[in-house]
Amino acid sequence: MASTSSTPAAAPLAMTSASPVVGIIGMGDMGRMYARRLQSSGTKVVVCDKPDAFATLQTELADTGIQVLRDGHAVSRVADLVIYSVEAAAITAVVREYGPSTKIGATVAGQTSVKAPEKAAFEKYLPDDVDIVSIHSLHGPSVTTEGQPLIIIHHRGPEEKVKMVEDVFRSFKSRYVYLSYEEHDEVTANTQAVTHAAFLSMGMAWKCSGKYPWENARWVSGIEVVKVNIALRIYAAKWHVYAGLAILNPAAQRQIQQYSRSVTELFKLMVGRHEEELSKRVWAAREAVFGWAPSEDAVADEDGGRHPILLSEEILNQFTLGTHDPKSQEEPNSHLSLLAMVDCWAALGIKPFDHLDVAGTPVFMLWIGVAEYLFRSRERLQSAIEAGLSDRVFRSDDLEFTVAARGWGECVSFGNFDLYERRFMETADFFAPRFDEATKMGGKMIKAIQDAR
Ligand SMILES: NC(=O)C1=CN([C@@H]2O[C@H](COP(=O)(O)OP(=O)(O)OC[C@H]3O[C@@H](n4cnc5c(N)ncnc54)[C@H](OP(=O)(O)O)[C@@H]3O)[C@@H](O)[C@H]2O)C=CC1
Ligand SMILES: O=C(O)C(=O)Cc1ccc(O)cc1
């Protein structure tokens, strides 16, 4: 289905008088990042946010060369490529308002993380004489665009419009990935939505336990450091981004509900001490997802190039939390969040490594990395199973995690944005004092894993 281009660093865009004017509607984190990058590559950029933000935006961007216009009508009338970079829940209303003003022959794109509402809005409200070639950068605004996937969706209009979009974004040096609208939502449900569900559940479980994981003597190993930093990185970002891609993506429900089911079922097997059933299920999931038979340890050079080995002990041990010594004895931990993730992938027949190369976000890459790290060693996996069955100290954390995963599953199934915001923000407030530190460490981890690949 997907095809990717591996020539991100092609010749720089030659700017001529015929170069397209790029218009950006929505100057939040992503809109600003796009505007600045495009402007510095020599593209003419016109932007707007809501009309009440006009004056402030004009002052802020006064010396940048980026032209600030009053609203989306003004942007739509002059831009050859219009990019809607607004909240997913707002896309319908915003396109309904400004779409009809789009210049004849222009091309329209959206940055929204979930494409079903965007596609419906474009088809309904854009005039027939404009084309649709949408986009989605699969990374947050603080991550370099270089080498990251940039999805391009050719939905309506001639092939040359795709070329125009490719040329506009050439300076990003991103890796172009070509998908349809539907393929986009399927892939991002498998990669982003379910991954976020796991991290959101971890954060909420820690908050509900009333303790910071880095103050707990058990939170010392490399896997925990990744979990904590990525969870905090997600809670430090904007809730609507995660709510939109979970609630509005028709393909995401199945994954998120399965994750919640996997967590609950594995937890019940642990507390019921159903050793045989639990072991059988975990080892079968390992084989289904990673291809390693239960008797087989997976070491990089025995791996026959089947899957990339992403995280090594050296990489993991570069990162520590608090004053803990990362080399100290690892405490028993069921790693319920990871056992459930692999169980969920197995239950849904998802091959995470196939997605990684097409449309892996940095967060997804780290998540597969730690899952693979736990599962590739038979000893590590066996001790997680044993901890799940017999460790009593950790059980209350696993209970909180199970309740949190069920809660996120329900919240998404209700489609309730207000509830999502409340759950998200209450947890975010608990962790806020550590956001700066966690975001920096999360950034370093992402860089370390990318450099190691
Ligand atoms: N942040 C991320 O990591 C990524 C986000 N995305 C997607 O990109 C889109 C933007 O995300 P992000 O920049 O993070 O979110 P932000 O909330 O930072 O930006 C959205 C901006 O759009 C503005 N806006 C809303 N309605 C209008 C309107 N009628 N006219 C003009 N501007 C309007 C918002 O104003 P106000 O705040 O007043 O509502 C806000 O400034 C989302 O769809 C998101 O899913 C994609 C990739 C990564
Ligand atoms: O990497 C992730 O999953 C993130 O959390 C950052 C992110 C958020 C929204 C997107 O549409 C793309 C990337």
Side-chain angles (χ1 to χ4, degrees):
M1 60 167 188
S3 61
T4 72
S5 148
S6 55
T7 53
L13 177 64
M15 298 306 300
T16 67
S17 57
S19 294
V21 174
V22 176
I24 300 177
I25 298 176
M27 282 295 279
D29 296 337
M30 290 303 282
R32 276 162 206 256
M33 186 267 275
Y34 263 50
R36 287 183 188 278
R37 281 193 155 265
L38 289 170
Q39 172 70 26
S40 60
S41 75
T43 305
K44 166 86 182 143
V45 184
V46 297
V47 302
C48 76
D49 202 85
K50 286 180 177 160
D52 59 10
F54 173 60
T56 330
L57 202 55
Q58 219 177 16
T59 311
E60 184 194 322
L61 299 178
D63 301 323
T64 61
I66 297 167
Q67 194 179 348
V68 181
L69 301 176
R70 189 165 294 278
D71 62 21
H73 292 297
V75 169
S76 297
R77 290 196 57 196
V78 297
D80 301 296
L81 172 63
V82 181
I83 304 169
Y84 284 84
S85 189
V86 301
E87 298 89 332
I91 189 89
T92 309
V94 181
V95 177
R96 181 171 52 220
E97 169 86 17
Y98 304 131
S101 299
T102 317
K103 190 167 91 169
I104 294 177
T107 305
V108 178
Q111 178 64 263
T112 28
S113 309
V114 46
K115 296 300 187 187
E118 178 192 296
K119 177 188 176 207
F122 284 175
E123 286 181 343
K124 189 160 179 193
Y125 299 115
L126 292 178
D128 290 342
D129 53 21
V130 306
D131 300 317
I132 302 170
V133 181
S134 199
I135 53 166
H136 181 193
S137 279
L138 283 187
H139 55 85
S142 61
V143 174
T144 173
T145 53
E146 205 162 316
Q148 302 290 350
L150 170 54
I151 294 180
I152 298 183
I153 299 169
H154 181 196
H155 184 62
R156 195 166 93 185
E159 195 64 40
E160 72 202 45
K161 295 300 186 81
V162 178
K163 170 81 170 53
M164 183 265 284
V165 169
E166 290 169 352
D167 287 344
V168 163
F169 293 110
R170 196 75 69 195
S171 66
F172 281 31
K173 298 185 178 165
S174 293
R175 181 169 55 83
Y176 296 145
V177 177
Y178 303 90
L179 297 177
S180 68
Y181 265 129
E182 290 71 23
E183 286 167 346
H184 170 282
D185 280 357
E186 187 68 41
V187 167
T188 54
N190 289 346
T191 53
Q192 290 192 279
V194 72
T195 302
H196 298 155
F199 284 107
L200 290 169
S201 303
M202 285 176 221
M204 185 153 223
W206 293 322
K207 181 237 157 197
C208 290
S209 307
K211 55 188 186 217
Y212 294 113
W214 51 87
E215 286 170 0
N216 182 339
R218 287 171 165 251
W219 299 98
V220 294
S221 81
I223 292 182
E224 303 317 323
V225 181
V226 175
K227 286 184 190 169
V228 172
N229 280 293
I230 299 301
L232 264 64
R233 194 178 162 86
I234 286 172
Y235 276 106
K238 292 201 168 124
W239 70 269
H240 73 74
V241 174
Y242 303 105
L245 66 82
I247 293 174
L248 299 176
N249 183 342
Q253 292 287 347
R254 199 166 71 102
Q255 276 81 337
I256 293 173
Q257 300 318 326
Q258 178 60 49
Y259 186 67
S260 152
R261 211 162 30 245
S262 290
V263 171
T264 310
E265 288 173 5
L266 293 184
F267 182 65
K268 285 203 273 196
L269 292 177
M270 288 172 182
V271 291
R273 304 196 75 158
H274 298 293
E275 182 173 0
E276 201 185 328
E277 208 182 325
L278 178 68
S279 300
K280 216 168 131 195
R281 189 158 162 171
V282 171
W283 290 102
R286 177 185 190 257
E287 189 162 17
V289 170
F290 297 101
W292 304 315
S295 58
E296 199 185 349
D297 239 338
V299 226
D301 50 4
E302 282 174 13
D303 207 25
R306 244 183 342 218
H307 299 306
I309 298 288
L310 300 170
L311 289 179
S312 64
E313 238 129 83
E314 298 85 81
I315 293 180
L316 280 173
N317 287 342
Q318 287 171 31
F319 303 103
T320 61
L321 272 179
T323 53
H324 293 310
D325 174 3
K327 294 188 193 74
S328 67
Q329 186 65 36
E330 204 175 309
E331 298 274 357
N333 184 332
S334 70
H335 291 300
L336 177 57
S337 61
L338 284 164
L339 298 188
M341 190 69 254
V342 175
D343 186 78
C344 169
W345 285 330
L348 295 174
I350 292 173
K351 300 276 179 218
F353 289 95
D354 291 351
H355 290 306
L356 183 62
D357 288 334
V358 177
T361 65
V363 167
F364 182 62
M365 203 187 297
L366 269 169
W367 191 222
I368 302 191
V370 283
E372 189 206 39
Y373 177 81
L374 175 66
F375 275 75
R376 76 172 186 253
S377 149
R378 294 176 70 243
E379 195 188 331
R380 264 197 296 268
L381 189 56
Q382 187 55 37
S383 65
I385 294 171
E386 280 161 22
L389 290 164
S390 58
D391 185 87
R392 307 223 154 242
V393 183
F394 227 85
R395 189 145 296 163
S396 60
D397 293 318
D398 282 349
L399 173 63
E400 288 290 6
F401 180 75
T402 306
V403 173
R406 287 285 287 265
W408 279 113
E410 268 182 20
C411 172
V412 169
S413 73
F414 294 161
N416 187 327
F417 275 84
D418 291 338
L419 178 60
Y420 194 108
E421 180 181 13
R422 196 167 147 189
R423 288 173 66 89
F424 188 100
M425 290 313 298
E426 280 176 7
T427 307
D429 289 346
F430 179 72
F431 286 112
R434 295 292 282 247
F435 280 164
D436 281 353
E437 198 184 331
T439 306
K440 273 187 211 133
M441 197 185 277
K444 282 189 198 151
M445 283 178 174
I446 288 168
K447 188 166 180 330
I449 184 171
Q450 277 170 344
D451 290 350
R453 286 198 84 207

